[in-house]
Amino acid sequence: MHKKLFIPGPVEVREGVLSKMATPMIGHRSKAASTLQKNISEKLQKLMYTKNEILLSTSSGSGLMEGAIRSCTNRKAAVFSIGAFGDRWYKMAQANGIPADKFKSDLGRATTPKMVEEALKTGEYDVVCITHNETATGITNPVEEISKVMKRYPEVIWCLDAVSSLGGTKIEVDRLGIDICITSSQKCLGLPPGLALCSVSEKAIEAAKKVPHRGLYFDYVELYQFVKEKDYQYPSTPSLSHMFALDYQLDCIMEEGLDARFDRHYEMAQTVREWAKKNFELYSDERYLSNTVTCITNTKNFSFSDLNKRLGEKGYAISNGYGELKEKTFRIAHMADTSNEEIKELLSTIDELLLDMVK
């Protein structure tokens, strides 16, 4: 039995998108490939509210995250962590020998503008890395307020991990002043995993040109120059199957309407939050709750593995808590092409199962 996924990636993928993955191949150096990749870039610029160049990468989002901190850090990076994926960005810096400091919030708490200000006023950092949406705790950082701080330090490169939010939450890249905004295919965009993408500013590229050892596969300068000079092509053979699917899915997203899509994600989030507060507790600071995934405290102390096994028998899957929050919390994702009706059906099924599990 297929289990409908309500986990924070990979997500349920529509049949129409899956069928586009089976499109017959074209040459990756052909004019058709250039046209395909150019069309994707132009649509992504609309989705990201940016005029910056778009880079596509056959990798997970982690690849472009590592490429960003390695390509752009001349002096030292300030990495702000609100959970597992901020920690991972810091680990990437360490693994590449890049000077970096980590500024960590307690689990369930956001990065505050004050934290960013305190770090940047030291003058030590030329790169700031921030997680927009943390799937481990269901927190979204206040980028509107953080943007006001960043604009006081225009020489600093701002990298944003929007892997689990872009396409489900409105992110106005240019207005906010984000230099590198990264996401990947398997979350809010509603594709299978395997493709990452980002927008990148000219400021970030000029800074990267001064870094002597940027690696190769994830070198932002090489990727950027190839796109500019080789008619939207890439140094290495890309996953054209993902690109066929992404081009189609972006058309579907535009047809739905961006505001309508963001509103749908908010509506689903509200449905899950209300249910969670009625039956359990929300784990994270309610001022900064994610619109794409909700983390719920297991106040009834049921066996999550037992619940998910029973859900699986009914054709559903949700997620356990992440890391040290395993069994203490559980997570329900509400992203990509999921509808509010599907969310309500899932919650009703959980209610029925818990009646038998919790006495």
Side-chain angles (χ1 to χ4, degrees):
M1 176 190 290
H2 170 67
K3 298 176 186 177
K4 188 176 288 187
L5 300 179
F6 294 87
I7 64 176
V11 298
E12 195 71 16
V13 180
R14 293 183 298 111
E15 285 295 331
V17 176
L18 289 174
S19 67
K20 290 296 179 180
M21 295 282 291
T23 302
M25 283 295 99
I26 58 176
H28 72 291
R29 296 290 179 232
S30 66
K31 180 65 177 176
S34 291
T35 300
L36 173 65
Q37 288 154 182
K38 181 175 185 289
N39 288 343
I40 289 169
S41 293
E42 290 174 348
K43 293 167 191 175
L44 284 171
Q45 285 174 324
K46 294 178 182 177
L47 178 61
M48 301 171 83
Y49 299 89
T50 185
K51 294 181 180 177
N52 289 340
E53 193 58 76
I54 303 297
L55 304 180
L56 306 175
S57 173
T58 301
S59 67
S60 67
S62 295
L64 287 181
M65 288 170 64
E66 183 167 348
I69 199 167
R70 180 168 181 173
S71 292
C72 295
T73 306
N74 274 287
R75 298 200 312 273
K76 187 189 287 188
V79 181
F80 292 86
S81 176
I82 55 173
F85 296 96
D87 289 350
R88 185 170 179 79
W89 221 338
Y90 178 67
K91 186 177 181 181
M92 291 170 181
Q94 291 183 307
N96 284 280
I98 295 164
D101 290 327
K102 181 168 67 172
F103 301 87
K104 191 170 178 66
S105 300
D106 291 337
L107 289 177
R109 300 293 179 264
T111 296
T112 65
K114 183 179 179 181
M115 291 171 65
V116 179
E117 178 73 52
E118 289 297 313
L120 291 185
K121 73 181 184 182
T122 66
E124 292 183 41
Y125 306 102
D126 57 350
V127 170
V128 162
C129 297
I130 291 176
T131 307
H132 183 227
N133 192 79
E134 174 58 62
T135 56
T137 56
I139 280 285
T140 296
N141 267 326
V143 290
E144 288 281 344
E145 291 78 9
I146 291 170
S147 169
K148 296 172 185 176
V149 175
M150 293 302 304
K151 287 176 180 178
R152 293 198 286 270
Y153 300 90
E155 73 284 0
V156 177
I157 305 299
W158 181 9
C159 304
L160 189 73
D161 163 12
V163 167
S164 60
S165 55
L166 196 133
T169 301
K170 188 173 188 177
I171 305 173
E172 296 180 84
V173 167
D174 287 356
R175 185 179 64 79
L176 294 171
I178 301 164
D179 292 295
I180 298 176
C181 185
I182 302 165
T183 196
S184 54
S185 56
Q186 77 278 11
K187 297 188 187 280
C188 295
L189 292 179
L191 273 72
L195 189 69
L197 57 96
C198 72
S199 62
V200 58
S201 69
E202 291 184 15
K203 183 180 88 174
I205 294 300
E206 289 307 309
K209 287 177 181 178
K210 300 172 185 175
V211 177
H213 303 294
R214 300 184 299 267
L216 184 61
Y217 189 78
F218 297 116
D219 175 6
Y220 272 59
V221 175
E222 173 152 300
L223 291 169
Y224 182 87
Q225 289 179 339
F226 237 85
V227 166
K228 288 291 193 183
E229 298 170 9
K230 305 290 185 180
D231 195 17
Y232 290 89
Q233 294 192 359
Y234 288 88
S236 303
T237 308
S239 175
L240 292 165
S241 298
H242 277 89
M243 293 183 180
F244 287 127
L246 178 58
D247 188 47
Y248 168 80
Q249 177 69 334
L250 288 170
D251 284 339
C252 295
I253 289 171
M254 297 304 168
E255 184 177 345
E256 179 181 10
L258 296 183
D259 288 339
R261 188 175 185 85
F262 303 143
D263 288 346
R264 174 170 56 81
H265 279 75
Y266 176 74
E267 182 182 20
M268 292 190 293
Q270 285 291 86
T271 297
V272 176
R273 291 168 193 162
E274 289 169 9
W275 175 84
K277 286 191 283 188
K278 178 182 176 182
N279 295 282
F280 299 93
E281 292 177 3
L282 294 169
Y283 176 77
S284 298
D285 187 337
E286 292 193 33
R287 295 173 296 173
Y288 305 110
L289 294 176
S290 167
N291 285 344
T292 63
V293 59
T294 298
C295 184
I296 302 163
T297 302
N298 183 3
T299 55
K300 298 182 180 180
N301 296 314
F302 63 83
S303 166
F304 177 82
S305 59
D306 188 15
L307 172 63
N308 223 19
K309 180 181 178 181
R310 297 186 188 203
L311 275 172
E313 293 168 354
K314 292 183 176 292
Y316 299 99
I318 61 174
S319 284
N320 203 337
Y322 191 94
E324 65 186 83
L325 297 179
K326 190 173 183 180
E327 294 298 333
K328 299 175 184 176
T329 65
F330 62 99
R331 296 171 295 154
I332 298 174
H334 27 84
M335 60 176 75
D337 295 319
T338 303
S339 71
N340 200 35
E341 286 306 310
E342 289 173 311
I343 290 292
K344 290 176 180 178
E345 290 171 7
L346 168 70
L347 299 180
S348 178
T349 303
I350 294 174
D351 284 339
E352 291 175 10
L353 292 173
L354 288 178
L355 282 174
D356 183 52
M357 292 175 60
V358 180
K359 302 297 184 183

